[in-house]
Every structure is written in structure tokens, then in C-alpha cells.
């Protein structure tokens, strides 16, 4: 299906601004940021749209499209969480997920849910650097460049985020 979309765009003279590897990275950042599988295609399209809008305005292309796309995807994931919180509380969602779980692999599921909840409770700036560092695999320097903050700020946010997430997992007796 994706091949057909690319061929259709190529026939119309529109090149896909994301290559296959960049699209996979965007999907991974969105998924690890807590966006449900059903919303991932929309998130990828949003990243494409922002790249195309940037080009239409005459703005320079990002130095590293892959890193830029990961930052945009991270921001989209945060936006998704904000909208979701307005609709329903996280506790209700987690409770319904636990009811659907099967006993096999329960430890892994509990850890995944605890990490997702812990990430959701972090301040936006900390969650963003944590996702970009460990899920999008950006370096501290790459994160600093993309966010426009000093490397020391990225390091301190990472340190605080890891410490808070670790404390949360110990508090919940998950680890």
C-alpha cells in the first residue's frame, strides 16, 4: 500500500519528503511516545505535511531530516497525550488495558504500562529529551541542536527524567 502511495505521488510529480528509514523512525518515536497503532499513519502524515509546508514557505530544508522528523514526531506524541487527557483520565485507560491483558507476559506488560505512565507524568521537556535520546536514538548534541538548547540543559533534563522515572518504577514496585 505504501509503495502504491509513493508511486501515485511520483506520478503527480510530488516526491515523498520521508524515505522508508525516516518513516520507520517517525513511527517508532510516535509509538514509543504512546500514540496508538491506529493513529500512527496520521502522525506520519502530519510529519510529511510539516516538511512540505516548510518547503512551500521557502524555508531551508533541515540539516538532518531524520532528526528533525523525530523531534516533530515527539512533539506530536506530546500533543496527542494532551488531547487524550482532556477526554479521559489516564487511570481509566490503564484500567481498561489491564482487564484485556492475558496472564502470559504479564511482567513485561506491567513494566511497559508502568514506563508509559511514568513517561506521561514527566514534565514535557523531560519526556521530550528522554524519548529523543532513548527511543529516537539521538545524541545529546543532536537533541540540543534540534531543540535549540545548550547540551548541559539536555544533560540535566535527561538526568532528572531518568531519576524521576526510576523513582516512579521503584515506587510502583515494578523494578
Amino acid at each position: 500500500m505504501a509503495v502504491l502511495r509513493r508511486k501515485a505521488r511520483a506520478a503527480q510529480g510530488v516526491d515523498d519528503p520521508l524515505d522508508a528509514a525516516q518513516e520507520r523512525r517517525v513511527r517508532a518515536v510516535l509509538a514509543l511516545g504512546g500514540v496508538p497503532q491506529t493513529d500512527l499513519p496520521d502522525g506520519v502524515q502530519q510529519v510529511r505535511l510539516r516538511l512540505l509546508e516548510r518547503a512551500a514557505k521557502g524555508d531551508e530544508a533541515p540539516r538532518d531530516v531524520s532528526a528533525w522528523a523525530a523531534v516533530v514526531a515527539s512533539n506530536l506524541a506530546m500533543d496527542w497525550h494532551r488531547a487524550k487527557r482532556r477526554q479521559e483520565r489516564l487511570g481509566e485507560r490503564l484500567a481498561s488495558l489491564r482487564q484485556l491483558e492475558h496472564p502470559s507476559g504479564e511482567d513485561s506488560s506491567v513494566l511497559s504500562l508502568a514506563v508509559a505512565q511514568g513517561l506521561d507524568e514527566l514534565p514535557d521537556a523531560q519526556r521530550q529529551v528522554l524519548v529523543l535520546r532513548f527511543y529516537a536514538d539521538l545524541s545529546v548534541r543532536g537533541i540540543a541542536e534540534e531543540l535549540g538548547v545548550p547540551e548541559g540543559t539536555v544533560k540535566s533534563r535527561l538526568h532528572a527524567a531518568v531519576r524521576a522515572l526510576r523513582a516512579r518504577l521503584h515506587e510502583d514496585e515494578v523494578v
Side-chain angles (χ1 to χ4, degrees):
M1 177 99 102
V3 172
L4 292 175
R5 278 186 268 147
R6 272 193 274 283
K7 285 183 180 179
R9 278 194 289 269
Q12 296 170 348
V14 177
D15 290 329
D16 192 343
L18 294 176
D19 64 28
Q22 292 164 336
E23 182 176 332
R24 282 192 304 274
R25 189 174 193 184
V26 166
R27 283 180 170 276
V29 170
L30 290 169
L32 293 168
V35 176
Q37 286 291 113
T38 55
D39 292 341
L40 292 181
D42 290 337
V44 172
Q45 288 298 79
Q46 283 293 322
V47 173
R48 277 191 179 98
L49 179 63
R50 293 199 183 164
L51 269 170
L52 292 171
E53 286 172 342
R54 184 179 175 121
K57 284 190 232 172
D59 292 345
E60 245 183 72
R63 278 182 283 154
D64 182 353
V65 173
S66 194
W68 182 89
V71 170
V72 171
S74 174
N75 289 335
L76 288 172
M78 286 190 291
D79 291 346
W80 183 88
H81 280 288
R82 286 185 196 110
K84 186 68 176 170
R85 270 185 256 151
R86 283 190 292 262
Q87 295 170 8
E88 64 184 66
R89 297 302 309 156
L90 178 63
E92 295 170 3
R93 194 173 97 220
L94 290 175
S96 68
L97 288 174
R98 286 190 180 121
Q99 291 172 358
L100 297 174
E101 284 182 12
H102 301 291
S104 62
E106 188 174 324
D107 289 344
S108 175
S109 296
V110 169
L111 179 60
S112 296
L113 288 172
V115 169
Q117 184 177 15
L119 280 172
D120 198 42
E121 292 174 359
L122 290 174
D124 290 342
Q126 289 180 2
R127 179 176 43 253
Q128 186 177 36
V129 295
L130 198 66
V131 167
L132 290 173
R133 177 65 187 108
F134 295 107
Y135 295 121
D137 200 28
L138 292 179
S139 66
V140 170
R141 176 174 287 157
I143 296 168
E145 288 174 2
E146 289 303 317
L147 297 179
V149 298
E151 286 184 43
T153 301
V154 172
K155 289 177 184 178
S156 67
R157 287 178 185 173
L158 274 171
H159 179 75
V162 169
R163 186 177 48 203
L165 188 56
R166 184 180 297 131
R168 171 66 188 206
L169 294 176
H170 283 292
E171 180 183 301
D172 290 346
E173 297 180 0
V174 176
V175 291

